Amino acid sequence: MRTGNEPLHARSPLKIRCGLALWGLLWAVAGTVAFVVAGRPEWAAACAVLAAITATDLTLVIRHIHQGAHYQPGKEIPPYEPDRGRNGVFSRPRSSGRGRRPGS
């Protein structure tokens, strides 16, 4: 249930994702260089592809960080009540009346 203080205490996973992407990029570049030096072009190509994917992810994460916070409902918006199955999504389907009744 939303308590109403999420904008004040919410934590974004973007900073940890940025750090992990940077760490992965460093390892992928190091792997590419190491495999080129070792004379393994297939593994070097695989590491280069991984470095490109990681660099793209890092670019997108940094872009999202620079966009800043997005709309969050204010204190005037009441907390949302959790769905307790009142809409029928989590309930059993009702019998259509066809078939044999128990006890008859």
Side-chain angles (χ1 to χ4, degrees), residues 45-78:
C47 285
V49 168
L50 186 61
I53 292 170
T54 308
T56 303
D57 183 47
L58 185 61
T59 303
L60 291 175
V61 169
I62 291 172
R63 179 175 169 258
H64 285 290
I65 288 173
H66 284 292
Q67 283 179 344
H70 294 287
Y71 169 76
Q72 294 288 324
K75 291 183 178 181
E76 68 277 1
I77 306 294

Side-chain angles (χ1 to χ4, degrees), residues 83-95:
D83 183 14
R84 301 190 195 286
R86 288 176 279 178
N87 61 3
V89 174
F90 299 110
S91 62
R92 290 184 172 170
R94 295 185 180 188
S95 174

